[in-house]
Amino acid sequence: MRLTFTSGLRRYAYNSALFYNLRIFFALAGTASVPWFMDQITWTIPLTLGVVAAALADLDDRLAGRLRNLLITLVCFCVASVSVELLAPTPWLFTLGLAVSTWGFILLGSLGQRYATIAFGALLIAIYTLLGIQLFPQWYVQPILLLTGAIWYNLLTLAGHLIFPVRPLQENMARCFEELAVCLEAKAGLFDPDLEDDSPSLIEMAMANGKLVATLNQAKNSIQSRLRGDRGQRGTRRTLHYYFIAQDIHERVSSSHAQYHALRHEYRDSDVLFRFQRLLSMQSRACQQLAGCILMRDTYQHDPRFERAFLHLNETLDRLEKARPANSDIKAMHYLLNNLKAIDAQLATVESEQALAAGVDNTLSSEGLNGWADIRLRFSRHLSPESPLFRHAVRMSLLLCAGYTFIQLTGMQHGYWILLTSLFVCQPNYNATRRRLALRIAGTLAGIVTGLPLLWLVPSVEGQLVLIVASGVLFFAFRQSQYAHATMFITLLVLFCFNLLGEGFEVALPRVVDTLLGCGIAWLAVAFIWPDWRFRRLSSVAERTLKANCRYLDAILVQYHQGKDNRLDYRIARRDAHNGDAELASVVSNISAEKNTLPGTREAAFRLLCLNHSFLSYISALGAHREKIPREAMLTLMDDAVCYVDDILHSDPINKEKAQRQLADLAHQIAILDADPETKEPLILQQVGLLVTLLPEIAQLKTHIQNH
């Protein structure tokens, strides 16, 4: 009983969502209670909106980085709010300032995610200032109150960081292992003997891989920010250790040692596929368990049943090998088994102090700013309509200026909610915007329908303040997971805030009308102002992805020549290849949702996605088993294979005669080479054969996409 009670307390103590919601609660409680005690109830609105903007612009970093972010945020917030107060009385000058500042703030995103988030917060503060432009007679009062709310929230954030400095790192790493669990489970689905077509499963695997890559990149950025100011903290080093293990497991999970459809056809009646599927599912649960241990700061205990599962699977493969000697599929399954054993070894030793202290290259690639030359270079890359960020900046500038002009022409009293809706709804991607439109409208209507009875049932000021705090906490609780619910609660917060001025019932209908208008002009903007499908170059994305695969293959080849290590160049090449695969999956997913895409192009895109993921999987298998190969003939074969891959994927147009000669030469080399079964040579021959088998169809699809 006591143990259960203690475990329950620890779950609450390490519940990040609970602490986040508590921070929001204390921040909003402060902005509601202080004006009430001082009998300045009008202050509640800008103070609360300042907290909301600061929370939406919050960024994880080490202490020095947080202080720098806070300074940049406050400067941007101050400039945005004061500019609105000073320019609002002159509409034409305000329109010009709105256009230039919107364009400039959004292009700040070219410098990195930190600046993109702060820029969004600055635009939000500008529109919040417009909402309360008539609240105070002095122009400087509202900016001061908005900044006070932002400072109050950031003080609470800094206090939380001092108490739990590495908690965000642990959360990021836990998410990495959770996504690894999803990938392992998706991989297990490929061994289902009843599966007829593996294309849907490969697409599912590619999409899961894309999410994992994004999570790993986020974790890397978070770790890197800590390492810049690290003084040898154990928590940071342990998180870095987890990160490298996650990277290694990711490479092994991504590996393919055989054609799955061939295995299912050949061994449908055997229990070997079930055993592989069960083992992958067990490793998926182990990653999920490890994620929980990281969050709860528990010591991970490896499941002893793995030893028995590996033993029985190995016995099954031995029986199959005796029944079918020299069968290439059985050799492939042995390599797969070895790969799963390597994953098991990583999981079993994840808490090992020796592994933590092992001398490895723990350098992470730097993506921060490196002086003014780097800043100019990053800006210049986005000063073209070919850049999605540039198109979004221009689109948002025109959108907000059009909304403001409409408000001025019609004289709408609460029309600035049109701008607020447009800012939240309009996304760089058409499909993302379309999804948000429906959720925003549904959430707003639900908020109005729920809020009006509450305004009547809770007429007191104290009750309204309690409802403001509650709706604000619920908005942030649902913001990442349920956008419609979050919209409903922020609508309630707005209603309760304006009801403090006696305008709660008056703003209900304008809120609905403004939401519909804001959603309508946002849809027009993404549909007709440089719509993203005109600039979506599937061929260019495919080209970048295939080139990244080639660089990854080149990096692996170097390791077979020189020996295995985890040097930075290798890890960058591996990450770029998986980033490319994730980008291709994202583009193909967007294409599938568009009605104006030709069916042939859509089918070719999905087929290319499946082939590219298989291609990357075969490369990853070579990377997972990499070691120095002394035999010159084997290295020559790999060199020739890499040259063949480069020629096929980079040549435009493809020289078919040369490609056929190279393919025939490779096939001859593979046929005459006598691989030593005690080394990795059979694996190399197998993976090279799988790679070159895919190349003709990949090249054909690449040409088809370029011509359409």
Side-chain angles (χ1 to χ4, degrees), residues 364-386:
L364 293 177
S365 60
S366 175
E367 296 177 1
L369 297 176
N370 297 309
W372 289 105
D374 188 27
I375 292 175
R376 287 194 299 271
L377 177 62
R378 295 193 187 202
F379 266 122
S380 64
R381 287 174 178 171
H382 292 278
L383 295 178
S384 164
E386 294 296 322

Side-chain angles (χ1 to χ4, degrees), residues 109-144:
S110 62
L111 302 182
Q113 184 60 41
R114 169 191 297 147
Y115 299 95
T117 305
I118 293 174
F120 174 80
L123 289 174
L124 189 58
I125 278 289
I127 297 177
Y128 282 165
T129 306
L130 279 175
L131 291 177
I133 199 73
Q134 304 295 335
L135 287 179
F136 306 98
Q138 299 87 2
W139 66 267
Y140 53 84
V141 174
Q142 186 175 213
I144 290 175

Side-chain angles (χ1 to χ4, degrees), residues 541-550 612 615 649 698 702:
V541 174
E543 184 75 22
R544 286 198 302 272
T545 300
L546 294 172
K547 285 182 178 179
N549 289 343
C550 290
N612 178 75
F615 187 67
L649 297 183
I698 291 178
K702 176 187 167 187

Side-chain angles (χ1 to χ4, degrees), residues 557 559-562 627-641 669 673 684:
L557 179 61
Q559 303 257 310
Y560 276 99
H561 275 275
Q562 300 178 1
E627 63 179 34
K628 186 173 183 179
I629 296 294
R631 190 177 177 187
E632 197 64 34
M634 192 62 63
L635 293 174
T636 301
L637 170 65
M638 295 190 69
D639 292 340
D640 291 345
Q669 290 185 61
L673 271 176
I684 294 173

Side-chain angles (χ1 to χ4, degrees), residues 202-321:
L202 286 173
I203 292 172
E204 179 187 356
M205 184 71 189
M207 296 301 178
N209 183 67
K211 291 181 181 179
L212 172 58
V213 168
T215 308
L216 283 169
N217 287 338
Q218 183 180 357
K220 182 186 79 72
N221 293 334
S222 184
I223 295 171
Q224 194 174 49
S225 69
R226 297 304 201 287
L227 288 175
R228 292 194 193 104
D230 182 56
R231 297 295 181 269
Q233 286 92 339
R234 180 177 177 80
T236 304
R237 289 186 289 111
R238 178 164 289 280
T239 307
L240 184 63
H241 170 64
Y242 286 143
Y243 174 75
F244 286 134
I245 286 178
Q247 273 196 326
D248 185 74
I249 294 177
H250 177 215
E251 183 173 52
R252 296 184 181 280
V253 172
S254 304
S255 303
S256 290
H257 300 78
Q259 296 176 331
Y260 298 110
H261 62 87
L263 289 180
R264 290 194 300 272
H265 176 74
E266 185 70 20
Y267 299 96
R268 189 181 301 273
D269 299 325
S270 172
D271 67 340
V272 66
L273 296 182
F274 285 109
R275 291 191 180 279
F276 272 116
Q277 187 178 32
R278 176 173 175 268
L279 193 51
L280 284 162
S281 294
M282 288 175 64
Q283 291 186 334
S284 172
R285 290 193 295 272
C287 285
Q288 192 70 46
Q289 181 187 349
L290 177 57
C293 290
I294 293 173
L295 282 178
M296 297 291 294
R297 300 185 184 179
D298 284 335
T299 301
Y300 170 75
Q301 299 293 333
H302 199 51
D303 193 339
R305 292 181 300 168
F306 274 106
E307 184 177 355
R308 188 167 63 251
F310 277 110
L311 176 64
H312 292 164
L313 179 53
N314 200 68
E315 290 174 350
T316 300
L317 287 177
D318 288 342
R319 287 196 299 271
L320 287 174
E321 193 168 23

